[in-house]
């Protein structure tokens, strides 16, 4: 399986072209699932696991990998399916980095990497319900591929604090914030709620949209009505990985339109890697912030309020 990830470091050229690469894998059964290669550090045969007493049932144990102790989550169990039946040594682990944390996902098998356009990645079909674990779906070789909302999985297994520390937001800022709105864009329902709760602590009104295409259509409608996005919103806080249109492409589209190019844009993502800073500059975003640190996010909004009001 090592060969499947050999060229991961050469894949950054896809960023900014509304393209991504999906690592395809299976849990129990024939259904194909996908995960963005940028989230993946390596793929390996499941190493020996040490079971931790009183750990979450989804955590099958921890493994020592390259000198680090990494929790291994049964992704099948985490998404409400039966856990993997076979011995873990017959399974594979996808080592991932989300929100600056490293964990492994135990899966039945890993297939291959496919190169795709974000326009081919679509939101889950309506009628899927509210409790599903999908953030998007696509088709590969005429087969449905489900893309799991990993942020929802991690929020359930290892919840992070969503509260803003005392002192980050003072009464003066809150008084100003009441009159202001922030546009947020994220395909993960969990991430949208996290960001919205954080911003509501600051005191601003939140308009939350689900993907880059929806956000661009929304902003174009505003300017068609003669409104200026920079007057309507204090800032836009956008995820990078989204179906239909990613955050880099959304930012580039906004910057290329003179009617909306003054909108302040912060890219807010669980993607890791030094290339992010270069891409932020390339597409013209004002700032970049790693998910999910409530104090850092709130501070960005406070700073923006103080700078403009």
């Amino acid at each position: 399986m090592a060969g499947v990830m050999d060229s991961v470091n050469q894949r950054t050229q896809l960023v900014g072209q509304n393209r991504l690469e999906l690592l395809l894998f299976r849990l129990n059964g024939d259904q194909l699932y996908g995960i963005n290669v940028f989230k993946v550090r390596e793929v390996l045969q499941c190493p020996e696991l040490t079971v931790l007493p009183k750990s979450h049932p989804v955590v099958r144990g921890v493994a020592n990998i390259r000198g680090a102790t990494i929790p291994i989550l049964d992704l099948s169990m985490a998404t409400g399916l039966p856990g993997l039946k076979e011995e873990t040594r017959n399974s594979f682990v996808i080592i991932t980095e989300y929100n600056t944390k490293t964990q492994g996902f135990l899966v039945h098998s890993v297939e291959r990497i496919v190169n795709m356009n974000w326009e081919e990645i679509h939101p889950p079909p309506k009628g899927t319900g509210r409790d599903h674990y999908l953030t998007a779906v696509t088709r590969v070789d005429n087969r449905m591929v489900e893309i799991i909302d990993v942020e929802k999985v991690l929020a359930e297994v290892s919840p992070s604090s969503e509260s803003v520390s005392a002192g980050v937001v003072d009464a003066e800022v809150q008084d100003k914030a009441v009159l202001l709105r922030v546009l947020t864009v994220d395909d993960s329902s969990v991430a949208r709620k996290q960001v919205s709760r954080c911003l509501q602590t600051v005191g601003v009104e939140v308009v939350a949209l689900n993907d880059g295409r929806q956000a661009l259509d929304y902003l174009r409608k505003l300017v068609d009505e003669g409104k200026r996005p920079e007057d309507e919103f204090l800032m836009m806080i956008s995820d990078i990985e989204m179906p239909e249109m990613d955050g880099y492409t959304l930012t580039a589209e906004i910057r290329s339109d003179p009617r909306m190019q003054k909108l302040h844009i912060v890219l807010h993502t669980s993607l890791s890697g030094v290339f992010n800073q270069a891409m932020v500059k390339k597409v013209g975003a004002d700032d970049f912030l790693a998910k999910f640190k409530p104090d850092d996010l709130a501070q960005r909004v406070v700073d923006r309020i103080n700078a403009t009001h």
Side-chain angles (χ1 to χ4, degrees):
M1 273 321 300
V4 100
M5 298 303 299
D6 280 348
S7 58
V8 69
N9 292 329
Q10 283 87 52
R11 300 179 190 280
T12 54
Q13 69 267 23
L14 296 174
V15 180
Q17 299 176 23
N18 209 38
R19 299 193 70 81
L20 77 158
E21 288 191 316
L22 286 179
L23 175 63
L24 303 182
F25 61 90
R26 298 178 197 270
L27 298 176
N28 275 326
D30 291 333
Q31 176 61 50
L32 277 174
Y33 296 90
I35 187 171
N36 192 332
V37 165
F38 274 117
K39 300 288 182 72
V40 179
R41 281 179 155 188
E42 63 180 309
V43 178
L44 65 160
Q45 195 90 31
C46 185
E48 185 176 340
L49 300 181
T50 301
V51 177
L52 294 180
K54 299 184 179 178
S55 61
H56 194 286
V58 164
V59 179
R60 295 288 290 264
V62 296
N64 189 280
I65 299 172
R66 308 197 193 289
T69 301
I70 297 175
I72 307 299
L73 284 62
D74 187 325
L75 197 51
S76 190
M77 285 180 67
T79 54
L81 300 171
L84 293 184
K85 300 181 183 70
E86 72 272 10
E87 290 286 328
T88 56
R89 65 174 177 268
N90 297 324
S91 305
F92 290 86
V93 169
I94 303 172
I95 305 296
T96 66
E97 191 171 336
Y98 279 82
N99 303 349
T100 69
K101 293 181 181 176
T102 302
Q103 53 280 308
F105 293 123
L106 186 68
V107 301
H108 176 268
S109 61
V110 177
E111 302 290 315
R112 59 194 170 103
I113 289 173
V114 292
N115 183 319
M116 304 197 71
N117 192 301
W118 274 111
E119 292 175 358
E120 301 171 76
I121 313 292
H122 305 291
K126 288 182 178 173
T128 314
R130 298 180 63 184
D131 296 326
H132 65 79
Y133 286 84
L134 303 185
T135 189
V137 296
T138 190
R139 298 193 79 83
V140 174
D141 298 335
N142 212 30
R143 297 196 61 181
M144 177 73 76
V145 175
E146 299 183 352
I147 301 172
I148 291 173
D149 187 347
V150 175
E151 291 180 79
K152 179 174 181 177
V153 169
L154 295 179
E156 292 180 357
V157 175
S158 179
S160 56
S161 171
E162 296 181 6
S163 58
V164 177
S165 301
V168 175
V169 186
D170 60 31
E172 184 180 351
V173 164
Q174 285 183 318
D175 287 344
K176 295 176 183 176
V178 171
L179 303 173
L180 303 173
R181 295 196 301 164
V182 171
L183 178 64
T184 68
V185 192
D186 204 302
D187 63 318
S188 167
S189 60
V190 167
R192 283 197 303 275
K193 288 173 186 171
Q194 289 174 333
V195 171
S196 293
R197 281 194 283 262
C198 177
L199 299 186
Q200 285 159 2
T201 300
V202 178
V204 296
E205 181 184 340
V206 180
V207 175
L209 301 177
N210 297 0
D211 61 64
R213 175 67 64 192
Q214 189 181 58
L216 186 61
D217 290 345
Y218 176 88
L219 290 170
R220 282 176 172 165
K221 186 170 183 290
L222 274 185
V223 295
D224 287 344
E225 294 170 353
K227 298 174 182 176
R228 300 195 305 177
E230 68 269 26
D231 295 337
E232 298 292 317
F233 293 102
L234 176 72
M235 62 205 299
M236 180 180 81
I237 300 169
S238 175
D239 188 22
I240 290 177
E241 283 190 294
M242 294 180 288
E244 309 283 356
M245 178 181 288
D246 69 22
Y248 289 130
T249 306
L250 170 62
T251 302
E253 289 283 346
I254 291 170
R255 291 295 183 245
S256 69
D257 188 331
R259 303 174 300 168
M260 60 176 86
Q261 63 186 192
K262 291 182 180 178
L263 180 63
H264 188 89
I265 300 173
V266 176
L267 292 176
H268 185 229
T269 179
S270 55
L271 282 172
S272 301
V274 293
F275 71 87
N276 285 327
Q277 295 292 351
M279 283 306 306
V280 165
K281 191 172 290 187
K282 179 180 175 183
V283 300
D286 295 285
D287 204 353
F288 168 82
L289 186 62
K291 287 181 179 176
F292 172 70
K293 300 174 181 175
D295 285 358
D296 289 352
L297 181 57
Q299 189 63 57
R300 290 296 202 285
V301 181
V302 169
D303 291 346
R304 182 72 182 149
I305 292 172
N306 288 331
T308 57
H309 292 79

